[in-house]
Amino acid sequence: MKQSRFIEQIMVIGEGQKMPVAFIQLNFEFLREWAAIHKMDIGKTNIENVVHEKVLERIQRDIDSLNEKFGSWEKIKRFELTSDVWSIDGGQLTPTLKLQRKIIKELYKDQYQKICSYLLTFKFKNTNIYYVK
């Protein structure tokens, strides 16, 4: 998944879940260079960058492209961009630069619940059954 130059880190959550989802930390330096080359104003802060429509569309294209290699049960159904830069000091990475999955999942538990709620709503949309918290 990290084949995309836009994605610095990605954590896919799928074990024990019905549908894989992902948290993505962007390569903000590359993203801003890309925006400048294409004369796009995507904002100056990481927070502005992760909610910008053009950024979301670009990352979705990368996810769609990568998903082509997987079976339907393995494809990332939804992702959430994080404005944080994951680091050893921030606790998201180990000294050997591996993801601290428990810590990341806890840090973004609200976003994880949002993703799961969306997926349940989407899954039942065609049957007029909606998941309501």
Side-chain angles (χ1 to χ4, degrees), residues 23-41:
F23 291 124
I24 298 173
Q25 185 236 302
L26 298 174
N27 179 338
F28 291 104
E29 184 178 327
F30 179 78
L31 178 70
R32 290 182 184 122
E33 289 172 9
W34 169 79
I37 289 168
H38 290 73
K39 298 180 181 13
M40 283 188 281
D41 180 13

Side-chain angles (χ1 to χ4, degrees), residues 41-99:
D41 180 13
I42 60 169
K44 295 192 183 341
T45 68
N46 292 357
I47 293 172
E48 292 172 322
N49 295 163
V50 300
V51 297
H52 194 278
E53 183 179 344
K54 293 291 184 192
V55 172
L56 292 167
E57 289 172 2
R58 184 63 184 88
I59 299 304
Q60 183 65 61
R61 281 201 315 266
D62 281 357
I63 295 296
D64 291 343
S65 175
L66 294 168
N67 272 342
E68 290 176 4
K69 301 173 186 171
F70 300 114
S72 63
W73 67 94
E74 299 171 303
K75 293 180 181 188
I76 295 172
K77 305 294 191 267
R78 185 130 167 104
F79 63 87
E80 200 57 43
L81 301 180
T82 67
S83 60
D84 302 323
V85 174
W86 298 353
S87 66
I88 296 168
D89 293 337
Q92 299 95 339
L93 302 176
T94 68
T96 57
L97 302 180
K98 294 178 184 164
L99 297 175

